[in-house]
Amino acid sequence: MFGESRLILGTGGAESLAALEAAVVASGTEMVTVALRRVDAAGPGLLPMLDRLGMRILPNTAGCYTAADAVKAAHLAREAFETDLVKLEVIGDERTLLPDGVELLRAAETLVADGFQVLPYTSDDPILARRLADAGCAAVMPAGAPIGSGLGISNPHHIRLIRDSVDVPVILDAGIGTASDAALAMELGCDAVLIASAITRAEDPARMAAAMRHAVRAGRLAFGAGRIPRRFHALASTSDEGRPEW
């Protein structure tokens, strides 16, 4: 769904098309998300550039505050981008940009019934994530922290609970500020991360994109390797067995 890189890049906030292209290439991503409302504002260069780079586009319903608006935006996106994939966003209020769980679930159920592969941006509530998965969503996308905050993962325990309670891919969305946040998400068992502001608004977007690329890979490797248990007391790395007497 999200490619071998396991990194989905958001295209919002880029200083220029050239800076965005450099970041896309450096990130190694195979999928980018584009807000339907941004297509016209971005001018004619965005989509041809993404097509030239071979990017798979994940349209999103950013800017929607009701289920009805999100469903309408998803249908427009399906026609515009010729894809059933949609990142579903139904925002609860302008200050936090956190999702409205009631409207989100309502929109997800409608879009699944309409044949969409729905990837909902949700809170880090494990129960809501499970309800979305049970409704037939293709993945769940819990927020690590509010959009654009760069706070990292506020509640790692809940992200791990979500990973353990759903059978669909978990994609951490929002809150990532730097590479260590992306690595932590992958170490918690997330299948991928979506990163926008941390890359597009970095002082050097391309360099940050490269850092995220390596962090995601390192985190996934560490998750697969299995970390050692946390211990209260020390544990010597070498046993006393066979130790010579002096």
Side-chain angles (χ1 to χ4, degrees):
M1 177 187 298
F2 31 71
E4 294 183 3
S5 72
R6 297 180 181 273
L7 195 165
I8 304 171
L9 182 62
T11 54
E15 190 172 286
S16 67
L17 200 60
L20 178 60
E21 178 170 352
V24 170
V25 172
S27 72
T29 187
E30 295 136 279
M31 175 180 279
V32 298
T33 183
V34 175
L36 181 64
R37 66 179 185 176
R38 279 197 71 239
V39 174
D40 290 340
L46 177 62
L47 294 181
M49 181 269 282
L50 297 176
D51 183 62
R52 175 163 47 81
L53 296 178
M55 291 295 109
R56 191 178 185 190
I57 292 178
L58 172 62
N60 68 62
T61 63
C64 293
Y65 287 80
T66 67
D69 286 347
V71 168
K72 182 179 179 181
H75 279 275
L76 290 173
R78 180 155 68 180
E79 291 186 18
F81 296 101
E82 299 182 340
T83 177
D84 289 332
L85 278 174
V86 63
K87 182 194 170 192
L88 176 61
E89 294 186 31
V90 185
I91 300 303
D93 66 72
E94 294 183 356
R95 191 169 65 90
T96 64
L97 298 181
L98 290 171
D100 182 325
V102 175
E103 292 291 297
L104 180 68
L105 183 58
R106 184 175 297 148
E109 290 171 338
T110 300
L111 291 172
V112 168
D114 288 345
F116 282 88
Q117 297 183 65
V118 182
L119 287 67
Y121 163 64
T122 182
S123 66
D124 63 3
D125 178 356
I127 306 303
L128 178 57
R130 192 174 64 200
R131 290 285 301 274
L132 290 163
D134 290 346
C137 291
V140 292
M141 305 182 69
I147 292 172
S149 67
L151 291 172
I153 301 176
S154 300
N155 196 334
H157 182 60
H158 274 204
I159 299 300
R160 188 57 189 265
L161 283 175
I162 290 173
R163 174 61 287 168
D164 290 344
S165 62
V166 300
D167 293 328
V168 297
V170 176
I171 304 169
L172 189 94
D173 184 7
I176 287 178
T178 190
S180 57
D181 300 330
L184 175 59
M186 301 305 291
E187 290 172 1
L188 291 170
C190 291
D191 298 277
V193 296
L194 191 154
I195 308 172
S197 300
I199 290 176
T200 59
R201 291 177 172 149
E203 291 182 10
D204 187 336
R207 184 176 293 187
M208 183 60 81
M212 295 296 187
R213 177 181 189 167
H214 293 297
V216 170
R217 185 169 184 270
R220 185 66 180 178
L221 284 171
F223 173 71
R227 62 158 297 137
I228 63 171
R230 290 183 171 84
R231 301 176 62 89
F232 188 72
H233 290 113
L235 175 65
S237 57
T238 303
S239 72
D240 286 337
E241 185 176 350
R243 182 179 181 179
E245 298 291 339
W246 302 106

